[in-house]
Amino acid sequence: MAIGTGEVDIQPERSSSDSFDHSQEKDIIQAGASSDVEADGYVPGEDESKVPLQRAERTELTPVEAFTWNVEGDQSPFPEVASCVANTDDPTMPCGTVRAWILMTVFVMVFAGVNQFFGLRYPSLSIGYVVAQLLVFPIGKTWEKLPRWRVPLGKLTFDVNPGPFNIKEHAFIVICVNISASTAYAAGSLVAITSPVYWDRDYGAGFSFLYLLTTQMLGFGLAGLSRRWLVYPAALIWPASLSSTVLFRTLHERQDKSPANGWTLTRYRFFGYSTIFAFVLFWFPDYIWTSLGTFAFITWIFPHNQKVNTIFGMNSGLGLLPLSIDWTQINYAGTPLTTPFYITCNAFAVVMFFYLFLSPILYYTNVWYSAYLPLLSSSTFDNTGKTYNISRVVDHNLNFLLNKYEAYSPMYISMSYSLSYALSFAAVTAIVVHTYLYNGKEIWAKLKNSRHGGEDIHKRLMNNYKEVPDWWYGILTLIVLGLGIFTVRYWDSGLPVWGFIVVCFGMGVLLIVPEGILEGTTNQRVFLNIITELIAGYAWPGKPIANMMVKCYGYNSVKHGMDFAQDLKLGQYMKIPPRVLFAGQIYASIIATVTQTGVLRWMMGNIADLCLPTNTQRFTCNGVKVVYSASIIWGSIGPQRMFQHGQVYSGIMYFFIIGPVVTVLVYLLYRRYPNSWIRYINVPIFFNAAGQIPPANTTQYSLWFIFGFLFNYLIRRRAFAWWKRYNYLLQAAMDTGTALATLVIFFALSYHNIKFKWWGNTVGSNTDDSKNVPWLKVSSGEHFGKGPGQF
């Protein structure tokens, strides 16, 4: 039956309509699943018709395995997708209605404006798309009760009320909000460039608009041209999209009340109860009893024991004891319910080895003078252990002065930050080699034939609609590329045109497919912000604005390009006509940029002391200050004074080689033992997953691992029917309840500076952890490392 008719396709127990089409099971086994049966603990000679289903229920597939599975059946062979996405479609269901376009326009402008406005405030506020997903639904259902008026405009005739508000309209609106309405990644650098508090280079509204637009859209065309690798393959399930998909279906479809491991609660009620639970729960760690969010009670008992605070602290310590009821802490390192458990294991392994085992050893043996600094900090320091004073190495025009630098101090970073740099360097080179070794044949085959490997039920259903031709995306790429060249050339950016093309655009061309395959299969992405700053720092020393622009263009050409690809996959899951979605995404991005530019220009002209600590409304632009400081560090001082030969952190550069070497070694072991646990090692994830440290600590990663183990290992194996029906919905419900609580607390209390003061909210504020106390201290008038004239 078609979507929207009320029938639910996913049954909680095994049936002919469950995760696998039994007529395809023999083919699935022949496609490569059978080779893993014995390795996974199944009994040889077991009923062959049950093997594939048990294989999918009990263990997760690696990307290499997933690409080999038969996808020609009437249901997705991947239980994650089968449980969340309908395998039917109604091509006659209206999608790009006037109602949908109007609601999309309003929500994009409101969300873009609000997020931009409050993004410069401390504490800041960001309204996520899940709020739009929830708010659009009752408005759309109310709209369907309006009179059925028709506006006669010839070929452009339309109905004000096109009838019942349907799931496709809802999905179309939310996808367009998601791709455009969050705070633009380049907004911080734009404020840093234009504000008189920072670089004071106000090039006008035209520059602001084009800079935001081109940084946001540079990767769109690349993602569209890469659909055959990033969107069409069934193996790229894009796990983050599934919680959205299941929420759409929960709101619009008739509910299944058949038992799932004894649970008869409908998805709709389950979502409602879980959302209320999350809403109430978040009040405690965020307002009522904030110490429950970072429950480092051992540091309260031993507040001035430096080692105890360093190991168990949650501010400048490792956070060894993973206790928290704060969903934002649990979700900080990664979404535990939507990330495959073997990926969570890769992430936890790197945390265990590099941060829980190695970093304390390096720290307490004073490697890189790290014992004079907090173990965990994202700040920069001088050779006295104090925060690095950037004003001491630049003149009044903020130009870097080498003589002042040599008379002051080299720049030092914490041990955790050093390891984060090293691991990110390894991850960037590892992902290229990993993709070539593990997915090279698949990429080449898809290049020659986009249908190689077969099309799953969802792609075949999309064949009923006109696809967006590749040349549309090619034209879009050329237009955005041309506007980007105009932006960096017409205004004094310090970034040459060749640098924009080779580095910024080239990074997108090189990494969009490897990064996309990685995220589409693992729900993880490699962080590129550090590597872009490093490249720009070496290529254009003394050019801080150019450094910021390379970071925003280079990083966002991949990052937002993958966001675009993920939304295309969500559009495929929801059966949105591709050309309608293409027009909506481009339109939404343009009006969001217009809104964000207008809000920024208004704030700069009408809010007194904007970005100054004296601002009475707390518009202090803390995030902008971080971007500005990074431009000084990487653009003015330059990475060569930290990482080149003879400098303190020169050894970190070897991780560029370590990444590919480890990847090749693991690949050779995998080829030798293809059915062993080695197949679950993902080297880019291993090196990159801990990239949130700092400011994150091991607590967030431990919580991610614990919840991933509980839901995606234990429950998946022991209560698979429950897992299929509720797991991804629970992620959506917890995110929704937390987001709604955040909005209420912010506008009702935080915005008005209403605080709740008692012991539960102040305990831990006078510990060595909270005060960033290092292991070693520098005596007054002394320094560690090289002194003036020695570096």
Side-chain angles (χ1 to χ4, degrees):
M1 183 166 294
I3 301 175
T5 58
E7 185 169 323
V8 178
D9 303 293
I10 306 302
Q11 301 297 320
E13 308 292 350
R14 297 179 189 174
S15 70
S16 60
S17 63
D18 214 328
S19 299
F20 288 87
D21 185 321
H22 289 279
S23 66
Q24 299 294 325
E25 290 178 353
K26 186 175 181 180
D27 294 333
I28 293 172
I29 297 174
Q30 293 170 347
S34 61
S35 63
D36 300 319
V37 171
E38 193 168 343
D40 287 323
Y42 299 121
V43 179
E46 192 173 16
D47 184 356
E48 193 173 272
S49 66
K50 297 181 180 180
V51 167
L53 183 58
Q54 292 175 341
R55 170 78 174 90
E57 288 181 6
R58 298 185 187 181
T59 59
E60 297 165 326
L61 297 178
T62 65
V64 174
E65 291 178 282
F67 276 116
T68 66
W69 274 48
N70 188 306
V71 298
E72 301 294 338
D74 291 333
Q75 182 56 280
S76 172
F78 308 112
E80 298 91 339
V81 178
S83 64
C84 297
V85 185
N87 64 341
T88 57
D89 180 38
D90 180 3
T92 65
M93 183 180 293
C95 176
T97 63
V98 169
R99 173 173 59 199
W101 282 91
I102 291 175
L103 288 178
M104 182 260 283
T105 301
V106 171
F107 271 86
V108 166
M109 294 184 71
V110 170
F111 274 53
V114 170
N115 284 332
Q116 184 60 70
F117 184 79
F118 288 104
L120 299 183
R121 191 178 184 276
Y122 181 80
S124 62
L125 172 72
S126 179
I127 307 177
Y129 78 95
V130 69
V131 178
Q133 190 172 9
L134 208 60
L135 294 180
V136 165
F137 181 67
I139 296 175
K141 297 302 287 184
T142 302
W143 192 308
E144 70 182 31
K145 301 183 184 300
L146 295 176
R148 298 293 298 270
W149 293 329
R150 171 163 291 189
V151 180
L153 295 175
K155 292 184 178 180
L156 300 178
T157 296
F158 65 88
D159 293 318
V160 174
N161 177 13
F165 182 65
N166 65 67
I167 193 171
K168 290 191 179 184
E169 288 179 289
H170 193 178
F172 172 67
I173 295 166
V174 173
I175 290 173
C176 292
V177 171
N178 183 44
I179 195 62
S180 61
S182 59
T183 304
Y185 181 75
S189 66
L190 176 61
V191 176
I193 293 171
T194 57
S195 172
V197 177
Y198 303 110
W199 292 117
D200 195 19
R201 306 288 193 271
D202 190 355
Y203 297 130
F207 169 78
S208 299
F209 172 75
L210 287 177
Y211 181 51
L212 291 182
L213 184 71
T214 51
T215 51
Q216 288 294 91
M217 295 182 61
L218 187 59
F220 284 10
L222 295 176
L225 291 170
S226 304
R227 286 168 296 171
R228 64 183 62 203
W229 299 292
L230 306 185
V231 180
Y232 298 158
L236 269 77
I237 66 175
W238 290 95
S241 298
L242 297 178
S243 58
S244 299
T245 306
V246 74
L247 180 53
F248 283 127
R249 296 187 67 193
T250 298
L251 294 174
H252 287 271
E253 295 182 1
R254 192 173 62 199
Q255 302 300 301
D256 185 1
K257 297 182 179 180
S258 58
N261 294 112
W263 286 56
T264 58
L265 198 64
T266 65
R267 278 178 164 175
Y268 190 86
R269 287 184 178 274
F270 181 86
F271 175 77
Y273 295 152
S274 299
T275 300
I276 293 172
F277 170 75
F279 179 87
V280 174
L281 180 68
F282 190 66
W283 278 81
F284 288 91
D286 197 59
Y287 188 77
I288 298 172
W289 194 343
T290 55
S291 59
L292 293 177
T294 55
F295 197 59
F297 68 91
I298 296 180
T299 65
W300 312 343
I301 301 173
F302 305 100
H304 301 300
N305 185 312
Q306 197 277 338
K307 287 186 176 180
V308 169
N309 279 256
T310 295
I311 300 302
F312 294 98
M314 289 282 287
N315 183 53
S316 59
L318 291 174
L320 182 59
L321 198 63
L323 295 176
S324 177
I325 64 169
D326 186 347
W327 183 249
T328 61
Q329 296 282 351
I330 298 167
N331 242 18
Y332 192 93
T335 51
L337 276 62
T338 61
T339 301
F341 180 62
Y342 79 93
I343 294 298
T344 309
C345 291
N346 276 267
F348 193 58
V350 70
V351 169
M352 289 284 291
F353 178 75
F354 280 97
Y355 290 95
L356 291 179
F357 170 71
L358 187 60
S359 69
I361 295 174
L362 297 176
Y363 180 74
Y364 285 108
T365 55
N366 200 27
V367 173
W368 297 329
Y369 307 106
S370 58
Y372 291 99
L373 314 173
L375 173 58
L376 190 142
S377 173
S378 55
S379 298
T380 54
F381 301 90
D382 62 21
N383 55 12
T384 66
K386 296 180 180 178
T387 301
Y388 200 88
N389 188 350
I390 293 174
S391 64
R392 292 185 59 175
V393 298
V394 296
D395 61 16
H396 65 281
N397 291 321
L398 301 178
N399 296 311
F400 175 70
L401 299 175
L402 181 60
N403 61 329
K404 286 191 173 184
Y405 171 77
E406 292 176 340
Y408 175 38
S409 169
M411 184 177 292
Y412 294 91
I413 54 179
S414 69
M415 177 52 66
S416 62
Y417 215 179
S418 304
L419 291 176
S420 180
Y421 278 174
L423 294 173
S424 68
F425 293 167
V428 170
T429 50
I431 190 176
V432 177
V433 177
H434 176 92
T435 304
Y436 172 77
L437 293 176
Y438 287 84
N439 308 115
K441 292 182 179 179
E442 184 71 23
I443 291 173
W444 179 248
K446 286 280 188 182
L447 178 64
K448 295 187 291 184
N449 178 12
S450 63
R451 296 189 176 185
H452 169 78
E455 296 180 335
D456 73 344
I457 180 63
H458 305 296
K459 178 62 177 72
R460 295 200 304 273
L461 289 173
M462 291 299 290
N463 292 336
N464 293 320
Y465 305 99
K466 288 184 177 181
E467 185 55 274
V468 177
D470 282 344
W471 68 266
W472 284 24
Y473 284 110
I475 293 296
L476 174 64
T477 300
L478 291 176
I479 291 173
V480 177
L481 188 63
L483 291 174
I485 291 172
F486 176 79
T487 303
V488 301
R489 180 72 180 83
Y490 184 79
W491 289 283
D492 184 20
S493 66
L495 176 63
V497 171
W498 71 265
F500 173 77
I501 296 174
V502 174
V503 178
C504 302
F505 184 67
M507 185 166 289
V509 173
L510 177 65
L511 294 176
I512 189 74
V513 172
E515 284 261 27
I517 291 176
L518 185 73
E519 183 170 5
T521 54
T522 68
N523 205 29
Q524 298 294 299
R525 61 177 57 168
V526 171
F527 303 106
L528 300 174
N529 51 328
I530 294 176
I531 193 66
T532 52
E533 292 171 322
L534 183 76
I535 293 173
Y538 275 110
W540 300 283
K543 302 284 187 180
I545 293 179
N547 192 282
M548 282 193 299
M549 296 184 80
V550 169
K551 175 182 178 180
C552 292
Y553 277 117
Y555 174 73
N556 229 29
S557 66
V558 180
K559 183 262 182 188
H560 214 47
M562 289 194 297
D563 293 339
F564 187 86
Q566 179 172 286
D567 283 345
L568 290 180
K569 188 70 174 189
L570 180 55
Q572 179 172 299
Y573 284 154
M574 301 309 301
K575 315 303 181 292
I576 308 297
R579 297 190 178 189
V580 174
L581 184 58
F582 174 85
Q585 288 175 303
I586 303 304
Y587 167 75
S589 297
I590 293 173
I591 63 171
T593 305
V594 170
T595 304
Q596 290 162 343
T597 302
V599 170
L600 270 177
R601 302 297 300 181
W602 181 89
M603 294 179 74
M604 293 174 65
N606 292 274
I607 297 181
D609 297 332
L610 181 65
C611 297
L612 289 174
T614 55
N615 185 278
T616 57
Q617 297 171 301
R618 290 188 284 177
F619 287 99
T620 52
C621 311
N622 287 24
V624 177
K625 186 177 181 180
V626 173
V627 175
Y628 165 73
S629 298
S631 72
I632 294 285
I633 295 168
W634 294 98
S636 294
I637 297 176
Q640 62 273 19
R641 295 184 176 87
M642 292 182 66
F643 300 114
Q644 72 183 17
H645 180 70
Q647 301 299 327
V648 174
Y649 304 103
S650 60
I652 288 177
M653 301 298 282
Y654 288 108
F655 275 79
F656 279 114
I657 301 173
I658 292 174
V661 170
V662 174
T663 303
V664 172
L665 292 176
V666 171
Y667 178 73
L668 294 176
L669 287 172
Y670 162 71
R671 292 297 299 270
R672 178 67 180 84
Y673 307 103
N675 297 326
S676 70
W677 60 270
I678 295 174
R679 62 182 167 166
Y680 291 110
I681 299 177
N682 189 303
V683 177
I685 295 296
F686 176 81
F687 282 125
N688 177 77
Q692 305 270 24
I693 301 175
N697 54 45
T698 63
T699 289
Q700 288 96 336
Y701 284 87
S702 299
L703 291 169
W704 182 22
F705 176 80
I706 291 169
F707 278 78
F709 175 77
L710 175 62
F711 285 94
N712 284 335
Y713 184 79
L714 284 182
I715 293 179
R716 178 181 175 131
R717 280 176 168 248
R718 299 183 181 183
F720 187 64
W722 188 99
W723 182 88
K724 283 200 304 178
R725 182 178 292 182
Y726 300 120
N727 181 69
Y728 286 88
L729 189 61
L730 180 59
Q731 178 76 54
M734 294 299 294
D735 291 346
T736 302
T738 302
L740 293 177
T742 301
L743 288 175
V744 173
I745 293 171
F746 181 85
F747 286 111
L749 301 168
S750 300
Y751 186 77
H752 301 287
N753 201 25
I754 301 174
K755 298 180 180 180
F756 185 38
K757 294 182 179 180
W758 72 291
W759 174 86
N761 290 344
T762 59
V763 64
S765 61
N766 189 34
T767 63
D768 284 0
D769 172 51
S770 64
K771 294 183 177 181
N772 302 317
V773 175
W775 173 238
L776 300 179
K777 296 182 180 180
V778 181
S779 302
S780 179
E782 300 294 326
H783 63 81
F784 60 83
K786 296 179 180 179
Q790 298 176 333
F791 56 92

